[in-house]
Amino acid sequence: MSHKRIPKRKAAIAVGGVVALGAAAILLPNANASQDGASDGVAAAPKTLKAGDASDLATRLAGTLGDAYAGAWYDGEDKQLVVNVVRGENTMALKVRSAGAEVRWVDNSMTELEAGAGTLKSEATIPGTSWAVDPRTNKILVTADSTVTGDKWDQLESTVENLGSGMATLKKSAGTFRTFASGGDAIFAGGARCSLGFNVTAGDGSPAFLTAGHCAAAGDQWSDQQGGEPIATVDQALFPGAGDFALLTYDDPATDAPSEVNVGGQTVPIVQAAEATVGQQVFRMGSTTGLADGQVLGLNATVNYPEGTVTGLIQTDVCAEPGDSGGSLFTQDGLAIGLTSGGSGDCTVGGETFFQPVTTALEAVGATLGAGGAGAGGQAGGQEQGAGQDAGDGEAGADDQAGAGDQAGAGDQADGQDAGTGQDGAGGQDGTGTGSGRHSGQDSGLSRTH
């Protein structure tokens, strides 16, 4: 299927010899990395890194520094990795600088921050709340949506205060945390609509794709058109709990499923799955709102949805709306980062959105990122197959499978139908209505979210 139209408030990708994101660069917060440890004698300048390389370096340093490590983030302006080191750990700071990262001295160790998150879990697991460690402030960022009031708010506020000064910040969100089922390209089941995230190869070699786990509650068989014949079947799913992901296998083993994300008549080749890094610029594609961009705010986030608690998520400021669930989160250089889970707000006022890490989902379901089925060998480089084919060409589920499976024609909601009747994938009301006009007006290039 193909997204033929994208709202003008969303962002765009310019295509040349290589697909490149043309959205204006987001100015990430200044890392404030001129630290009080500059007198320790190390003069080596931090390396200039891509976000994916910074993530790999952060992972390595976390294992090397042990208890001295207190998180890291990517400074998008200077393209450097900033690593938090507990004060007094001068030897570990030397290792950070020798590896090419910037040092920032902090007071709270990762062990202390994780212990604080454990306290929140035991004493304040309240629907409509979330928390994640924010390495840029060296605190736990606690968020409560508009439903957390009265005694529930008092309980949450008291728990945060009892963590001690300088351990956590409490923020109130104007929206309501919910899953965004109603993404990439639209998929349908049982009156609900979700978005396909990334094409993968299942453990047995068959073509498959990932989406949000809460979408699986709507049914086992999914179509690429509302009321259409099924093209894929749920193989594995998890929600709530330690993740929000599902693996669906294509019913036709000959389905071409290239590793690409369809961003509205154009595709971004996906080269590999990668861990997210705080401060990293990311892009989200969904069937309701098209393309949007923002940055990663926190990792290993816990979100208390009405349906239950989900852990291990990525917290971002990228907007999303009902119908975007399961859609792909990726970077401009083709790294698959996450699957849209849920959050609050919308793409008019903004809000918080949480994503299932792709790496965790792949490991759990035993799949690998990339093409499967007929012609898989030709898809390794993110090659576009059947570009420009539309829904009526009779190749169900096989045409233009751009990263989100590119389900034939489902992204082109010219008739104003919004998958389903307002039901989300978890059985609740998503309030999207008909979605009339959401995909009206084709944009040839992508412009960044505002």
Side-chain angles (χ1 to χ4, degrees), residues 39-410:
S39 60
D40 62 9
V42 177
K47 295 178 181 178
T48 298
L49 301 168
K50 293 181 179 180
D53 295 333
S55 177
D56 292 341
L57 178 56
T59 300
R60 294 197 301 271
L61 287 172
T64 300
L65 301 184
D67 291 339
Y69 178 80
W73 80 90
Y74 183 63
D75 178 353
E77 280 191 72
D78 295 332
K79 299 190 183 305
Q80 295 171 353
L81 177 69
V82 183
V83 178
N84 291 340
V85 179
V86 177
R87 293 187 192 279
E89 295 283 356
N90 294 329
T91 301
M92 295 304 177
L94 289 173
K95 292 184 178 181
V96 171
R97 291 195 175 101
S98 297
E102 183 68 55
V103 170
R104 176 173 181 260
W105 296 105
V106 296
D107 295 317
N108 299 321
S109 69
M110 187 59 70
T111 299
E112 292 170 327
L113 293 169
E114 289 176 347
T119 299
L120 288 164
K121 179 181 179 180
S122 62
E123 299 182 13
T125 297
I126 300 167
T129 61
S130 70
W131 50 82
V133 172
D134 180 2
R136 288 173 293 189
T137 63
N138 191 227
K139 296 179 181 180
I140 304 168
L141 174 60
V142 183
T143 306
D145 73 12
S146 59
T147 67
V148 182
T149 59
D151 291 343
K152 293 188 292 184
W153 171 261
D154 293 341
Q155 177 185 349
L156 180 63
E157 187 175 43
S158 175
T159 303
V160 170
E161 290 176 352
N162 289 338
L163 292 177
S165 176
M167 281 294 294
T169 57
L170 179 57
K171 171 187 174 183
K172 188 75 170 180
S173 174
T176 301
F177 289 160
R178 76 248 193 237
T179 53
F180 284 134
S182 134
D185 293 318
I187 52 175
F188 305 85
R193 184 183 72 171
C194 278
S195 299
L196 203 155
F198 297 99
N199 279 324
V200 299
T201 300
D204 62 0
S206 60
F209 63 83
L210 294 174
T211 189
H214 65 263
C215 295
D220 290 335
Q221 293 186 307
W222 287 76
S223 172
D224 57 4
Q225 300 181 55
Q226 187 175 6
E229 290 296 318
I231 65 161
T233 303
V234 175
D235 180 82
Q236 302 177 53
L238 177 63
F239 176 83
D244 183 6
F245 56 86
L247 176 72
L248 281 72
T249 55
Y250 286 104
D251 295 337
D252 182 357
T255 298
D256 286 330
S259 185
E260 301 169 340
V261 173
N262 177 21
V263 293
Q266 305 166 21
T267 58
V268 176
I270 297 299
V271 296
Q272 67 182 71
E275 301 288 347
T277 303
V278 171
Q280 181 178 27
Q281 184 186 25
V282 286
F283 292 79
R284 176 201 52 73
M285 189 64 194
S287 63
T288 297
T289 56
L291 191 71
D293 62 343
Q295 64 172 295
V296 176
L297 302 179
L299 306 178
N300 197 28
T302 295
V303 186
N304 297 299
Y305 292 122
E307 299 89 350
T309 299
V310 181
T311 59
L313 301 182
I314 301 166
Q315 183 170 352
T316 78
D317 63 3
V318 184
C319 73
E321 296 182 11
D324 288 331
S325 276
S328 46
L329 185 74
F330 59 99
T331 68
Q332 68 177 71
D333 50 354
L335 300 179
I337 301 295
L339 307 165
T340 307
S341 175
S344 67
D346 55 36
C347 287
T348 300
V349 301
E352 302 82 20
T353 303
F354 301 92
F355 295 83
Q356 164 66 46
V358 169
T359 52
T360 305
L362 289 171
E363 182 178 2
V365 301
T368 54
L369 189 67
Q379 309 300 327
Q383 236 177 330
E384 181 175 353
Q385 295 294 316
Q389 290 178 349
D390 208 344
D393 64 4
E395 294 185 26
D399 62 304
D400 195 14
Q401 300 288 337
D406 200 14
Q407 311 299 341

